[in-house]
């Protein structure tokens, strides 16, 4: 598990193909309650998520409202430590195991953020990191300012690259509100864009000449993080839902590119499995794809709701399940 902390930019900018699925999580196939049980980040819990920091009860699958069904709710620590704030930060994370195919040079993410009470200081964020633990792209909601910030790896003239928070627009978002947001990173040009209710802000080397972007970054993990900031004295609670991360070759995410998360519960069992994996879904399963943890696609023989995995080597795998309602991704272990 990699532990990441944000660097604040110090200035706020006020400027106003076929997609390849990386991850889709709407949490409806998961069971209400603890997301996982291992706080060391080594043993995966529901939906393949790992957790690090705090208590197991800080990571909950919960229904915030009927329209969203299950969501992932995270509660931070109730303090802030300038020397080492790790005890107050909560990490729920997954490896990105799907490699980008040729031409899909743009990494895109969409999600909804639930602001929660928003009474303390800190952030709830969705961010992607490379194999070295350095930030690639992300977006967050700031509990104190009640605004949306973009996140990207930038290099200030005369300095080194850092993962910055970049202020987006002037609007603030009320407590206990769902906010739809999105981000993109173009690994060919290094350009970023962040979309929020006010519009879309694009950042590249010409947008602000004091900062340069980084090209060729490859995401290896995505994290949902709740962090605290200076002066915090409360346990900040917020949530995320309908996470969709894709590779694409288009500058703007079209409606035909969005991989819709499944709207009906989908799960797999038994898990761990020896020979046959059963898919439980209220909708007909049209297609499945299985990847090993290196991102290599392996053979998957689908027969109605059964998948023969007897030929797989022991280990962990990711299965993507497609129905007419959308796609969902689950992790399973082959014994």
């Amino acid at each position: 598990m990699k532990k990441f902390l944000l660097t604040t930019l110090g200035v706020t900018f006020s400027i106003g193909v076929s997609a390849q699925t990386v991850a889709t999580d709407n949490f409806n196939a998961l069971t209400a309650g603890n997301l996982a049980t291992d706080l060391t980040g080594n043993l995966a819990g529901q939906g393949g998520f790992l957790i690090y920091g705090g208590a197991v009860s800080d990571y909950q699958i919960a229904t915030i409202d009927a329209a969203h069904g299950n969501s992932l709710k995270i509660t931070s620590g109730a303090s802030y430590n300038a020397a080492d704030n790790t005890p107050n930060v909560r990490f729920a994370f997954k490896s990105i195991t799907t490699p980008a195919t040729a031409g899909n040079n743009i990494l895109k993410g969409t999600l909804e953020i639930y602001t929660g009470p928003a009474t303390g200081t800190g952030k709830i964020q969705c961010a992607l990191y490379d194999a070295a633990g350095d930030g690639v792209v992300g977006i967050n909601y700031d509990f104190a300012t009640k605004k949306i910030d973009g996140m990207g790896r930038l290099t200030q003239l005369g300095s080194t690259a850092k993962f910055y928070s970049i202020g987006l627009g002037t609007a603030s978002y009320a407590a206990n509100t769902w906010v739809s947001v999105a981000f993109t990173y173009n690994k060919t040009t290094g350009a970023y864009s962040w979309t929020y209710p006010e519009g879309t802000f694009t950042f590249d080397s010409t947008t602000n000449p004091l900062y340069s972007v980084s090209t060729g970054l490859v995401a290896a993990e995505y994290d949902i993080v709740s962090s605290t900031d200076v002066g915090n004295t409360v346990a900040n609670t917020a949530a995320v839902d309908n996470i969709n991360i894709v590779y694409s070759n288009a500058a703007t995410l079209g409606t035909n590119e969005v991989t819709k998360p499944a709207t009906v519960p989908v799960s797999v069992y038994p898990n761990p499995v020896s020979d046959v994996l059963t898919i439980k879904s209220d909708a007909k399963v049209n297609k499945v794809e299985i990847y090993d943890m290196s991102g290599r696609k392996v053979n998957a023989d689908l027969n109605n709701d059964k998948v023969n995995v007897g030929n797989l080597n022991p280990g962990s795998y990711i299965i993507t399940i497609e129905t007419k309602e959308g796609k969902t991704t689950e992790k399973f272990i082959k014994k």
Side-chain angles (χ1 to χ4, degrees):
M1 160 54 197
K2 301 179 284 293
K3 301 184 285 293
F4 311 107
L5 298 179
L6 296 179
T7 303
T8 303
L9 186 56
V11 293
T12 299
F13 302 107
S14 55
I15 306 173
V17 164
S18 177
Q20 178 186 358
T21 301
V22 176
T24 58
D25 285 298
N26 70 359
F27 309 102
N28 286 335
L30 306 188
T31 302
N34 296 334
L35 177 65
T37 58
D38 176 23
L39 291 166
T40 68
N42 293 306
L43 180 63
Q46 295 197 72
F49 278 94
L50 297 103
I51 61 175
Y52 184 92
V56 167
S57 58
D58 293 331
Y59 308 84
Q60 292 293 301
I61 300 299
T63 298
I64 293 172
D65 56 55
H68 287 81
N70 284 349
S71 303
L72 173 57
K73 184 171 68 174
I74 301 181
T75 302
S76 74
S79 183
Y80 174 78
N81 186 317
D84 180 9
N85 194 39
T86 303
N88 298 299
V89 185
R90 307 291 181 259
F91 302 88
F93 60 100
K94 274 185 176 183
S95 294
I96 293 176
T97 58
T98 304
T101 56
N104 279 342
N105 62 317
I106 300 177
L107 185 60
K108 304 179 179 183
T110 61
L111 70 149
E112 292 180 82
I113 296 176
Y114 184 71
T115 62
T119 55
T121 62
K123 298 177 176 69
I124 180 74
Q125 70 185 46
C126 176
L128 282 66
Y129 298 88
D130 65 17
D134 296 319
V136 175
V137 63
I139 200 162
N140 67 64
Y141 172 78
D142 188 302
F143 300 125
T145 66
K146 298 178 175 51
K147 294 182 178 181
I148 299 295
D149 293 337
M151 301 166 67
R153 192 189 303 187
L154 308 175
T155 304
Q156 189 175 17
L157 292 181
S159 185
T160 57
K162 297 179 181 178
F163 200 33
Y164 287 107
S165 279
I166 302 169
L168 303 175
T170 60
S172 58
Y173 301 92
N176 301 315
T177 299
W178 285 102
V179 184
S180 296
V181 296
F183 55 81
T184 72
Y185 166 71
N186 187 320
K187 71 176 183 179
T188 301
T189 66
Y192 290 101
S193 73
W194 299 277
T195 299
Y196 51 107
E198 285 183 277
T200 297
F201 172 60
T202 300
F203 190 103
D204 55 30
S205 295
T206 61
T207 305
N208 191 302
L210 295 178
Y211 296 86
S212 63
V213 293
S214 301
T215 60
L217 304 181
V218 178
E221 178 180 301
Y222 91 86
D223 293 43
I224 306 301
V225 182
S226 180
S227 63
T228 64
D229 211 338
V230 177
N232 185 66
T233 59
V234 303
N236 299 303
T237 299
V240 295
D241 202 357
N242 295 325
I243 301 166
N244 185 45
I245 302 173
V246 301
Y247 292 115
S248 177
N249 58 11
T252 303
L253 188 63
T255 55
N256 63 333
E257 288 189 284
V258 177
T259 301
K260 182 179 67 173
T263 56
V264 296
V266 179
S267 60
V268 297
Y269 68 92
N271 192 6
V273 59
S274 297
D275 298 306
V276 177
L277 192 66
T278 299
I279 301 172
K280 182 179 180 181
S281 172
D282 292 338
K284 182 179 182 295
V285 178
N286 297 323
K287 179 182 177 182
V288 298
E289 293 180 338
I290 296 178
Y291 297 87
D292 63 20
M293 300 313 289
S294 70
R296 183 177 62 91
K297 187 176 179 180
V298 299
N299 291 332
D301 182 16
L302 174 66
N303 183 10
N304 293 322
D305 63 345
K306 310 290 185 184
V307 183
N308 187 348
V309 297
N311 63 319
L312 299 183
N313 294 325
S316 297
Y317 294 86
I318 299 293
I319 182 170
T320 299
I321 305 159
E322 180 179 336
T323 72
K324 68 177 182 178
E325 302 296 333
K327 288 185 177 181
T328 190
T329 300
E330 297 290 336
K331 182 177 180 180
F332 70 91
I333 298 173
K334 169 63 167 61
K335 292 192 291 186

